[in-house]
Amino acid sequence: MARISLDPPRTLFFRAVAWYARRAYGGKVLDPLSAAAHNGRVLRATIGFELAAARWNALDPHLKALAELASAASIGCGWCLDFGYWESTRRGVDARKLRDLPVWRDSDAYTELERDVLEYAEAMTATPPAVGDALAERLRRALGEAAFVELTAMVALENMRSRINSALDLTSQGFRDQCDLGRR
């Protein structure tokens, strides 16, 4: 059970956010939005940043999805994995890559670049971060500087999402009935 009510004050702004969310997410209001709505400034800032991040386009969207899921899995955010799997599936990420995420090191489903992205996401998510120079240089060369910066920012953003959702004990909303991408 969530550590905060998911029935926030019904402000005009939250009602508008809830209306949009129901249209965009199969009739559901995302629990992280409901939780953030207890503080209107936090909700507005979160939505503003998410909308801005959605317009970043230097990094291949499939690499971005894998990085986000690897970070969420490292933290163990069930809500993020559930929603991330659903979003990734809708965006055409190979189902085998999503299924094999918990065992990516042993799977032949990934390219070398995808393996580096997964390793980077896990290394960034470690506490303290454990990113090595060689890995960072391989990614910078393979992706280019703009996409490398975007990858880094996306993993950091997913860390924030996953840590907030985990701390508030937000769990699966059923976007994917059985999420097998949980903790390694």
Side-chain angles (χ1 to χ4, degrees):
M1 176 169 227
R3 291 184 175 113
I4 189 165
S5 165
L6 298 177
D7 186 23
R10 308 283 305 161
T11 65
L12 180 60
F13 182 63
F14 179 69
R15 289 194 317 258
V17 167
W19 174 84
Y20 174 81
R22 282 188 198 96
R23 291 179 49 98
Y25 305 111
K28 297 180 184 186
V29 178
L30 305 182
D31 286 351
L33 294 175
S34 295
H38 287 282
N39 184 317
R41 289 181 177 171
V42 170
L43 179 61
R44 279 183 178 80
T46 299
I47 290 171
F49 192 68
E50 290 287 354
L51 290 172
R55 291 189 301 271
W56 300 343
N57 62 4
L59 181 63
D60 175 272
H62 291 194
L63 293 176
K64 190 180 302 190
L66 292 174
E68 289 173 303
L69 286 167
S71 178
S74 290
I75 291 169
C77 179
W79 193 94
C80 300
L81 290 167
D82 176 51
F83 184 75
Y85 181 88
W86 179 77
E87 276 278 290
S88 297
T89 301
R90 284 187 359 162
R91 293 185 177 160
V93 177
D94 182 332
R96 180 168 178 223
K97 290 179 182 185
L98 296 172
R99 254 190 332 272
D100 283 3
L101 192 65
V103 293
W104 68 265
R105 285 176 176 81
D106 299 321
S107 172
D108 62 358
Y110 304 98
T111 66
E112 286 305 310
L113 177 57
E114 290 167 336
R115 289 176 181 287
D116 282 349
V117 165
L118 292 166
E119 182 180 347
Y120 187 73
E122 287 183 357
M124 264 190 74
T125 303
T127 303
V131 175
D133 291 340
L135 174 60
E137 180 58 21
R138 279 196 314 274
L139 283 167
R140 188 188 63 76
R141 275 189 277 118
L143 299 173
E145 291 184 344
F148 180 60
V149 168
E150 187 171 318
L151 171 63
T152 303
M154 286 309 303
V155 173
L157 175 56
E158 185 56 43
N159 266 263
M160 182 181 82
R161 292 173 184 147
S162 292
R163 291 176 190 282
I164 289 171
N165 294 341
S166 292
L168 294 176
D169 202 22
L170 302 181
T171 58
S172 170
Q173 277 187 263
F175 284 97
R176 178 166 185 236
D177 292 333
Q178 294 182 352
C179 187
D180 62 350
L181 301 176
R183 286 181 198 255
R184 293 177 291 129

